[in-house]
Amino acid sequence: MLNVKDLVVNYGAIQAVKRVSFNVQQGEIVTLIGANGAGKSTLLHTISGLMRPASGSITYLDQPIQKLAAPKIVRAGISQVPEGRHVFPGLSVQENLQMGAFLRQDHAAVSQAFEEVYTYFPILKKRRHQDAATLSGGEQQMLAMGRALMAKPKLMLLDEPSMGLAPLFISEIFDIIQAIHQAGTTVLLIEQNAKQALKVADRGYVLASGQVKLSGTGAELLATPAVQQAYLGG
Amino acid sequence: MQTFGQQLINGLSLGSIYALLALGYTMVYGIIKLINFAHGDIYMLGAFWGYYSISYFHFNFWLALFSAMVVCAIIGVVIEYFAYRPLRHSARITALITAIGVSFLLENGMSYLVGANARSFPQAIRVVTYHWLGLRVSNIQLLILGTACALMILLEVIIKRTKMGKAMRAVSVDPEAAQLVGINLNQTISFTFALGSAMAGAAGVLIGLYYNSIDPLMGMTPGIKAFVAAVIGGIGSVPGASLGGFIIGLLETAVQAVGLSAYKDAVVYFVLIVILLVLPAGIFGKRTREKV
Ligand SMILES: Nc1ncnc2c1ncn2[C@@H]1O[C@H](COP(=O)(O)OP(=O)(O)OP(=O)(O)O)[C@@H](O)[C@H]1O
Ligand SMILES: [Mg+2]
C-alpha cells in the first residue's frame, strides 16, 4: 500500500533520513521504532507532504506521492496523528473534529464519522463543547486520533501516541489503535515504547541515525538481542 | 453631561472606523505574523473607490460600500499573492519591510495617478442632524456606527461559525497541524486578506462620508492608530481589535474635547506605552509563550 524507497530528507545541511526503504501492506500494523533523533518524525512529515525528500520515492496505492501537497495526501487517504498531539487550542473538541473532516463534503458521512469517533472515545463526546486546550494530555491524544479518523483514512500514521502518558492510558490507546485497525484502517505506528508497539505490530523496522538497521515481524524483533538491549532495557 | 454625551457619540463613530481597520491588522497578524503596514492604504483605496463609484458611476451609498469591500478584498488578495507569499519562508523582518514598501507604492502610486491634493467626498447621503436630549447626532454618525457594528458582527459570525472561519483559526494557532487535516494554507491566508481588506474598504467609504475629504496619504495616520488599537486589544484577538478601536476613538475625541487637539496623536501613543507596560499582551492577548 505504502512503499518508501531510498528516501533521503535533509534539513539544510543536516541529513535526517538517509536512504530509508520500507513498506506497509494493506491491512497491516507496521511499527517504526527508534531513539530520539532517529528521523522518525521527519519520515512521517515527508510522507504527509509537509517536507520534500531530497531523493527517493514514496508510492501509495501505486501512485508516486512525494510531490503532492499535504491536503492532496489527506484526500488520498493518509492521515497523520502528529507527535505531541497538536490539537487546535481555541477551537472546541467538536470543532477540532470538524476540522479533521475539512475535505469531506458529505454531511451524512461526516455525522457518521462523529458517531464513530465518539464510540471510540466517549470522553470526547462529554467534552465536545470544551476548548481543546483545556483537555488533559491523554484526552488531547484521543482528540488528535479522533481528528485523524474524521477524514476516514485508509492509512493512519501515528507519531508516538504513547508519549507522556500514564501506563494505564497507554494500554487504552493501544487497545484503540487495535480496534481502529480491526475496523479496516492500515496503521503505521511510530514509537519509542518498543515493547508495546512490537506486540501489536505485524512487522517492525528499527531506525537509528536516519537509517533502517533491522526489520522483521513484531515477534522476531522482540526476540532480537540488539533490540532488547537498545529499546527494551536489556 | 451634555458635552460628555456628545463626545461619547463622536468618539464611538470615529472608534468604529478604527475598529474596522484594526480587525484587518489583527487577523493578518494572527495568521501570518505580519504587521501589514499597507493596510491603511487599502482603506485609502476603499475611500477612492467610493469617491469614483459615487461621482462617476452614480452608485448609491450602499452599492458604493459593498463594491468598495469587494474591490479592496481583491486588492488585498493580490497584494498578498505578489508581495508577501513569495516571502512566506523568509525572515519576518523581510516581509515587514516589504509591507512598508507596498505602502509607499500605493501612496505614491495613487498620488501619481490621481494627484496628491485632497478632494471632497461626494455627499451620497444628505446629512440630517437630529437633536435629542440636547445632543447633536447626524444620520451619518448613526450610519457609520450601525454599519461598522453590523460588519463586526458579520465578521465574528464568519470566524466563529463557518468552516473557513474555523480553518482560519486553526491555521493561526497551528499551521502544520492544519495542513495535516487537509487545510490549504494559501487559500486560508487569501481568505483572511480578503476579509480584512474588505473591512478596510468599508472603513474608507465610511470615513469619506464622515470627514468629507480624501487624499492618497489619508491612510497613514489612521493606519498607525488602528495598528495601535490592535496592539492594545491584544494583537491576534478579534474582539480585542474592536475594543481597541473604540478605545482609541474615544480617547482621541476626549483629548480634543478638553482642548488638547495638538496632542491627540501623542496621547494615543502614550496610552499604547502604558498598556504595554501593564498588559504586555494587550487586553485580550493570550499570555502564553509565543512559539518560535
Ligand atoms: N526543523 C529542523 N531543523 C533542523 N534539524 C532538524 C529539524 N527537525 C529535526 N531535525 C533533526 O533531524 C533529526 C531527526 O529528527 P526527528 O524529529 O525526525 O527525530 P525523531 O526520530 O522523530 O525523534 P523523537 O523521537 O525525539 O521525536 C534530528 O537529528 C534532529 O535534530
Ligand atoms: Mg519524533
Side-chain angles (χ1 to χ4, degrees), chain A residues 41 83 159-160:
Chain A
S41 300
E83 179 179 341
D159 196 345
E160 299 198 37

Side-chain angles (χ1 to χ4, degrees), chain A residues 61-84:
Chain A
L61 298 175
D62 302 320
Q63 302 288 327
I65 58 163
Q66 70 268 17
K67 290 212 169 69
L68 293 187
K72 292 236 164 77
I73 291 186
V74 176
R75 204 186 283 280
I78 303 180
S79 285
Q80 185 187 149
V81 183
E83 179 179 341

